């Protein structure tokens, strides 16, 4: 019997913009096609006491609107020590947009209101007070996965500008990234990917999805796991159509 | 003031006239010019007849058409806006075309589809008698989580509105507007009884999970579709309504329902459609329209704008539906599932400006419930995106055919016989109609 991956999906009913929950469906799909199991536990406000964050293989946070981010900020902060422990012990953290912002020092929203972040990382985010000033559009970044360059395709839609990023997730080839016209996008560590990319992220980047899965499975089993390849024909054609369109219009 | 009004109208008429002279369809342009010159230009019109406005994320066009058709059936003179002209400028252009040089608009009723965000601006200047609010969903163009901002805008308007407010009592985002002005005795709710395919849990992405009054998570007895259903707040009791109109005995196979003790037959039957008709019926009841006319309209009238339009090729029936957001698409998936027997589906997905460049909303469509769908053809600028989406819901990849070119896709779809459904998003729907027409008419005349 193959392993079952356990994922904690935090605030799924509040952080669910732009089809971000699709990332859960994608991880589940790619595991099940290979005979692995997938369990997704949902964390909602007030579950902090009873949740053992470190027992999970992956913790996921999607993107949300300012309103929801404010609602959950206090609850998130009450879980700080447990989340920090999970992160230090190697649980993979995947965070999109709002989830990305909330793990930093702070987030100052478009109304000028400062929401304290969890402070797991050094970056911080300030949103323009002009609500129409947002980085919106298709985006392509180049990152490195297991020593190989890989183009990650997604869609960004954020008013927040993130600064003081020590180890970005990728280099921007098309689009904005962490700030208007930024050269870098997101934040990464061995067991962390924090990014503005929606799409959902894993729908257009199967290699990235498998990288996350093999990290989690290897950590679980204590030895390197190599995943058998899947037929990603549709995904790859989807990628080449988008790359061709985006990278050629740039020139 | 009179002079300003006079010149406003005169100017508008001249612009409109010039455009006609050059053989151009005036559209929004005269209205746009007037708005630019005079923000109060709507006040220049003299309108004595009642105005009925229809707003909400989904179904505005259909409901407006239905209400207009019904009032026309009584012999009344109606002015109504064609699809798309539902912004301040479009409504200004419409009135310009129908007024005399003094700005007088002669009609028995104005029935206006109105964009949600334009309700306050238009009806702070025109006297509104009845406002119908259908639903509030997250639209693909408005996905900054700003649905709340939009609702608050309409809510603010309702705080001082004293006319008839006809609200979907099963949508917590809409029903809350009924609390905006406690002094308005003219708030009326419509509701549809639990139907056969209602679910106990949220089946498709929805909004409004939290009580607008106290912030507690709402409890549902059942969900009809998305977040529409019988809800109540365990904290403050929000959600207890006594409906003005309630459709019961929804029979999708029979295309029938019961309202005020009488059975009606309709041209189409989906739960989504039932809610639209429920809104229409509420207006008809409020204005005392003869039941014979209501019956006739419900039975015979269809709105042909890519919403539930049918095509036929060599005995194979196809139904085309517009889906500009997850709710619309989920509705169509539901309709496909509720249709007995095997069927095939064509999904056309574009990402042009009017669609929103972001197609991630397709991940909020629940395809995992596909029932007896034997093949899926995908097309449009993002044909591969929708193919990947459907595949990862667990649907067999071998049964998915990608044909980015629409003519190829239609040809592929009709390479087999049997029941077909087509779904297209905003800018895809007209090209899809055209391709279907080309194929079904072209091929059969050969
Ligand atoms: Zn409440």
């Amino acid at each position: 019997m193959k392993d079952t991956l356990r994922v904690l999906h935090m605030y799924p009913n509040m952080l669910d913009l732009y089809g971000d929950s699709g990332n859960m469906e994608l991880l589940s799909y790619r595991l099940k096609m290979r005979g692995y199991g997938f369990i997704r536990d949902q964390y909602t406000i007030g579950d902090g006491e009873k949740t053992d964050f470190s027992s999970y293989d992956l913790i996921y946070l999607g993107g949300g609107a300012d309103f929801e981010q404010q609602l959950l900020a206090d609850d998130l902060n009450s879980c700080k020590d447990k989340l920090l422990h999970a992160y230090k012990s190697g649980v993979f953290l995947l965070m999109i947009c709002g989830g990305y912002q909330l793990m930093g020092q702070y987030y100052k929203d478009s109304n000028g209101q400062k929401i304290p972040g969890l402070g797991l990382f050094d970056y911080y985010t300030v949103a323009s007070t002009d609500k129409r000033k947002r980085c919106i559009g298709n985006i392509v970044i180049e990152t490195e996965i297991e020593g190989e360059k890989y183009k990650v395709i997604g869609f960004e839609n954020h008013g927040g500008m993130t600064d003081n990023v020590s180890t970005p997730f990728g280099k921007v080839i098309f689009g904005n990234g962490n700030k208007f016209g930024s050269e870098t996008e997101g934040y990464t560590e061995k067991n962390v990917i924090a990014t503005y990319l929606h799409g959902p992220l894993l729908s257009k980047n199967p290699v990235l999805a498998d990288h996350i899965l093999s990290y989690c499975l290897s950590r679980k089993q204590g030895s390197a796991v190599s995943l058998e390849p899947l037929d990603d024909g549709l995904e790859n054609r989807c990628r080449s159509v988008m790359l061709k369109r985006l990278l050629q219009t740039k020139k | 003031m009179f002079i300003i009004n006079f010149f406003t109208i005169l100017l508008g008429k001249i612009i409109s006239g010039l455009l006609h002279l050059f053989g151009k369809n005036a559209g929004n342009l005269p209205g746009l010019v007037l708005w630019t010159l005079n923000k109060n230009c709507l006040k220049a019109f003299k309108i004595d007849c009642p105005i009925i406005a229809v707003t909400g994320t989904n179904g505005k066009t259909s409901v407006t058409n239905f209400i207009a058709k019904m009032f026309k059936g009584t012999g009344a003179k109606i002015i109504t806006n064609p699809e798309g002209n539902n912004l301040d400028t479009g409504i200004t252009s419409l009135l310009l075309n129908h007024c005399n040089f003094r700005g007088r608009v002669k009609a028995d009723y104005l029935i206006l589809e109105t964009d949600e965000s334009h309700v306050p601006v238009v009806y702070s200047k025109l006297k509104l008698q009845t406002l119908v609010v259908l639903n509030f969903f997250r639209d693909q163009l408005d996905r900054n989580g700003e649905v709340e901002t939009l609702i608050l805008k309409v809510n603010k308007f309702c705080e001082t509105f004293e006319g008839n407010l006809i609200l979907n009592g099963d949508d917590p985002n809409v029903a809350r507007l009924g609390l905006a002005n406690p002094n308005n005795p003219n708030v009326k709710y419509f509701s549809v009884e639990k139907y056969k395919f209602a679910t106990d849990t949220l089946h498709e992405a929805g909004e409004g999970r939290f009580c607008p009054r106290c912030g507690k998570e709402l409890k549902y007895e059942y969900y009809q579709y998305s977040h529409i259903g019988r809800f109540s707040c365990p904290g403050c009791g929000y959600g207890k309504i006594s409906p003005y109109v309630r459709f019961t005995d929804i029979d999708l196979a029979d295309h029938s329902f019961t309202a005020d003790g009488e059975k009606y037959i309709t041209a189409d039957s989906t739960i989504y459609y039932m809610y639209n008709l429920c809104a229409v019926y509420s207006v008809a009841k409020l204005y005392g329209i003869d039941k014979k006319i209501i019956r006739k309209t419900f039975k015979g009238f269809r709105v042909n704008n890519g919403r539930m339009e049918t095509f036929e090729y060599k005995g194979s029936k196809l139904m085309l539906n517009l889906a500009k957001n997850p709710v619309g698409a989920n509705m169509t998936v539901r309709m496909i599932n509720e249709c007995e027997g095997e069927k095939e589906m064509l999904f056309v997905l574009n990402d042009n400006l009017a669609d929103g460049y972001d197609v991630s909303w397709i991940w909020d469509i629940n395809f995992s419930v596909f029932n007896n769908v034997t093949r899926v053809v995908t097309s449009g600028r993002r044909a591969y995106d929708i193919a990947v989406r459907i595949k990862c819901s667990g649907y067999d990849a071998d049964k998915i055919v990608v044909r980015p070119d629409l003519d190829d896709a239609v040809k592929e779809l009709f390479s087999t016989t049997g029941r077909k459904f087509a779904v297209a998003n905003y800018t895809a729907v007209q090209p899809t109609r055209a391709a279907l027409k080309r194929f079904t008419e072209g091929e059969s005349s050969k």
Side-chain angles (χ1 to χ4, degrees):
Chain A
M1 181 59 198
K2 283 184 170 173
D3 262 325
T4 291
L5 208 72
R6 289 180 65 243
V7 173
L8 184 67
H9 186 177
M10 293 190 75
Y11 312 108
N13 56 352
M14 303 178 107
L15 300 177
D16 73 334
L17 274 186
Y18 314 106
D20 280 345
S21 296
N23 286 324
M24 294 295 96
E25 213 177 324
L26 281 148
L27 289 180
S28 162
Y29 173 78
R30 300 188 75 79
L31 284 167
K32 286 184 176 157
M33 289 298 281
R34 292 159 164 140
Y36 290 98
F38 177 84
I39 291 175
R40 179 181 72 121
D41 287 341
Q42 306 195 30
Y43 175 99
T44 48
I45 283 188
D47 289 348
E49 281 295 311
K50 62 175 186 193
T51 304
D52 181 5
F53 291 83
S54 299
S55 72
Y56 288 93
D57 302 303
L58 186 146
I59 295 173
Y60 176 69
L61 287 99
D66 285 355
F67 175 67
E68 275 89 8
Q69 286 185 206
Q70 266 172 33
L71 281 182
L72 61 82
D74 285 345
D75 183 79
L76 185 65
N77 265 296
S78 72
C79 310
K80 181 174 176 170
D81 293 343
K82 284 175 150 188
L83 268 166
L84 186 69
H85 183 266
Y87 152 64
K88 293 275 187 209
S89 62
V91 174
F92 200 97
L93 303 185
L94 177 61
M95 299 154 294
I96 315 290
C97 200
Y100 169 24
Q101 296 166 343
L102 287 168
M103 291 294 162
Q105 296 298 314
Y106 60 84
Y107 172 61
K108 208 167 160 188
D109 75 13
S110 55
N111 302 315
Q113 201 155 352
K114 198 163 164 180
I115 305 172
L118 215 54
L120 249 49
F121 313 111
D122 290 336
Y123 58 79
Y124 54 85
T125 306
V126 177
S128 165
T129 47
D130 181 351
K131 287 189 188 185
R132 282 163 305 179
K133 271 182 101 180
R134 297 175 70 86
C135 300
I136 303 180
N138 288 300
I139 174 166
V140 182
I141 64 172
E142 190 167 75
T143 187
E144 208 162 279
I145 295 177
E146 279 143 46
E148 306 240 353
K149 284 195 162 53
Y150 186 67
K151 288 191 178 69
V152 178
I153 309 171
F155 195 92
E156 60 179 334
N157 188 347
H158 55 103
M161 304 291 127
T162 302
D163 242 314
N164 201 30
V165 180
S166 51
T167 48
F169 175 44
K171 192 178 84 189
V172 179
I173 307 181
F174 181 90
N176 286 296
N178 282 330
K179 292 185 281 186
F180 273 110
S182 174
E183 283 179 7
T184 63
E185 203 292 320
Y187 178 85
T188 191
E189 283 179 29
K190 185 169 67 61
N191 61 324
V192 177
I193 292 177
T195 174
Y196 277 116
L197 269 64
H198 302 283
L201 172 74
L202 303 178
S203 67
K204 286 194 183 46
N205 308 293
V207 170
L208 180 66
D210 282 356
H211 162 70
I212 296 171
L213 291 177
S214 51
Y215 170 91
C216 294
L217 290 168
S218 301
R219 176 173 170 268
K220 206 176 178 74
Q221 295 183 4
S223 61
V225 168
S226 70
L227 295 166
E228 58 196 273
L230 295 180
D231 178 1
D232 289 328
L234 287 173
E235 284 84 347
N236 289 332
R237 264 165 279 160
C238 184
R239 283 175 62 80
S240 58
V241 168
M242 286 311 285
L243 287 175
K244 195 172 159 203
R245 202 206 287 177
L246 300 175
L247 302 185
Q248 278 178 359
T249 50
K250 198 189 170 190
K251 278 165 200 162
Chain B
M1 201 58 203
F2 169 77
I3 296 292
I4 293 173
N5 285 347
F6 178 76
F7 279 109
T8 302
I9 298 292
L10 186 64
L11 183 67
K13 285 275 185 196
I14 290 170
I15 300 165
S16 211
L18 280 176
L19 284 169
H20 278 297
L21 204 62
F22 292 113
K24 293 224 188 323
N25 187 343
N28 273 328
L29 193 59
L32 186 65
V33 175
L34 279 202
W35 266 91
T36 315
L37 293 173
N38 178 0
K39 288 273 169 263
N40 281 319
C41 62
L42 272 177
K43 286 192 172 162
F45 296 103
K46 292 179 195 70
I47 302 166
D48 299 324
C49 71
I51 302 178
I52 301 170
V54 180
T55 195
T57 314
N58 283 356
K60 291 188 283 284
T61 306
S62 292
V63 170
T64 306
N65 276 298
F66 259 104
I67 296 173
K69 175 80 184 171
M70 212 165 266
F71 277 88
K72 274 179 197 157
T74 67
K77 182 179 182 321
I78 302 301
I79 295 175
T80 185
N81 46 352
E83 186 183 2
N85 286 356
N86 63 10
L87 308 180
D88 46 14
T89 51
I91 289 169
T92 309
S93 297
L94 177 83
L95 296 178
L96 260 180
N97 288 337
H98 287 93
C99 73
N100 64 17
F101 275 92
R102 292 175 179 279
R104 185 161 300 283
V105 178
K106 282 196 83 174
D108 296 317
Y109 294 94
L110 275 169
I111 298 169
L112 301 176
E113 171 185 340
T114 311
D115 186 85
E116 304 86 279
S117 62
H118 286 249
V119 165
V121 59
V122 172
Y123 302 111
S124 59
K125 302 190 177 72
L126 298 179
K127 190 170 165 40
L128 184 63
Q129 188 173 75
T130 299
L131 177 64
V132 183
V133 189
L134 302 173
N135 47 54
F136 283 113
F137 295 116
R138 194 184 290 173
D139 214 23
Q140 90 288 2
L141 279 181
D142 180 71
R143 288 169 57 82
N144 312 335
E146 300 295 335
V147 195
E148 182 64 20
T149 314
L150 198 63
I151 299 170
L152 289 177
K153 230 169 156 178
V154 180
N155 197 69
K156 186 133 200 338
F157 172 78
C158 291
E159 281 170 11
T160 53
F161 180 59
E162 288 174 340
N164 305 304
L165 197 53
I166 298 187
L167 304 173
N168 183 346
D170 295 343
D171 182 341
N173 283 338
V174 173
R176 64 192 272 194
L177 299 176
L179 309 172
N181 182 1
N183 297 322
N184 185 358
N186 306 309
V187 178
K188 294 183 167 63
Y189 300 96
F190 63 87
S191 172
V192 176
E193 191 184 49
K194 184 178 181 183
Y195 90 121
K196 192 177 156 193
F197 295 97
T199 50
D200 293 340
T201 52
L202 186 65
H203 189 84
E204 297 134 354
E207 305 300 319
R209 292 153 174 154
F210 302 95
C211 174
R213 221 161 41 185
C214 73
K216 279 230 164 57
E217 190 160 356
L218 296 173
K219 291 268 176 284
Y220 276 77
E221 238 173 83
Y222 56 86
Y223 294 88
Q224 303 273 42
Y225 72 95
S226 191
H227 66 256
I228 308 294
R230 200 58 256 132
F231 66 90
S232 65
C233 173
C236 70
Y238 166 65
K240 289 194 182 75
I241 51 152
S242 40
Y244 174 64
V245 170
R246 184 164 163 81
F247 278 10
T248 57
D249 306 306
I250 311 299
D251 189 332
L252 300 185
D254 212 26
H255 290 206
S256 70
F257 63 87
T258 301
D260 290 323
E262 288 191 41
K263 186 171 167 177
Y264 291 87
I265 307 285
T266 69
D268 278 305
S269 68
T270 62
I271 188 65
Y272 177 46
Y273 194 76
M274 289 295 168
Y275 272 91
N276 285 348
L277 292 192
C278 201
V280 174
Y281 183 91
S282 304
V283 173
K285 182 175 175 178
L286 184 66
Y287 285 87
I289 289 181
D290 191 328
K291 290 210 168 131
K292 273 192 213 131
I293 296 170
I294 300 179
R295 188 173 299 283
K296 199 174 148 210
T297 314
F298 280 175
K299 196 168 179 186
F301 185 59
R302 277 166 184 272
V303 181
N304 276 343
N305 53 2
R307 282 142 170 123
M308 318 261 186
E309 197 173 346
T310 51
F311 295 81
E312 200 165 333
Y313 174 69
K314 291 186 178 163
S316 294
K317 264 200 183 141
L318 176 142
M319 185 181 272
L320 168 66
N321 205 8
L322 167 77
K324 53 179 180 138
N325 48 31
V327 180
N330 278 321
M331 257 340 292
T332 309
V333 171
R334 208 171 255 264
M335 187 175 73
I336 294 171
N337 283 337
E338 289 166 7
C339 159
E340 309 255 332
E342 294 189 342
K343 53 252 159 178
E344 295 185 328
M345 179 194 198
L346 166 68
F347 201 120
V348 190
L349 182 67
N350 276 349
D351 66 348
N352 295 311
L353 176 65
D355 301 306
Y357 298 126
D358 181 15
V359 296
S360 63
W361 63 274
I362 58 176
W363 288 81
D364 289 334
I365 309 173
N366 187 355
F367 288 104
S368 69
V369 293
F370 257 175
N371 173 23
N372 263 333
V373 178
T374 51
R375 199 168 60 123
V376 174
V377 179
T378 70
S379 188
R381 277 168 60 86
R382 300 297 284 265
Y384 284 104
D385 293 74
I386 184 69
V388 168
R389 166 56 193 124
I390 293 172
K391 184 187 98 165
C392 293
S393 71
Y395 188 74
D396 187 353
D398 294 336
K399 293 182 185 166
I400 304 174
V401 185
V402 185
R403 294 281 180 273
D405 179 84
L406 255 170
D407 288 312
D408 292 348
V410 169
K411 202 173 156 195
E412 179 67 50
L413 186 69
F414 283 107
S415 65
T416 57
T417 55
R419 196 88 174 80
K420 324 262 183 205
F421 289 88
V423 185
N425 72 332
Y426 198 70
T427 69
V429 77
Q430 291 309 333
T432 305
R433 278 183 84 194
L436 284 167
K437 278 202 171 138
R438 266 196 302 278
F439 185 82
T440 54
E441 285 164 16
E443 290 283 318
S444 51
S445 64
K446 265 178 201 165

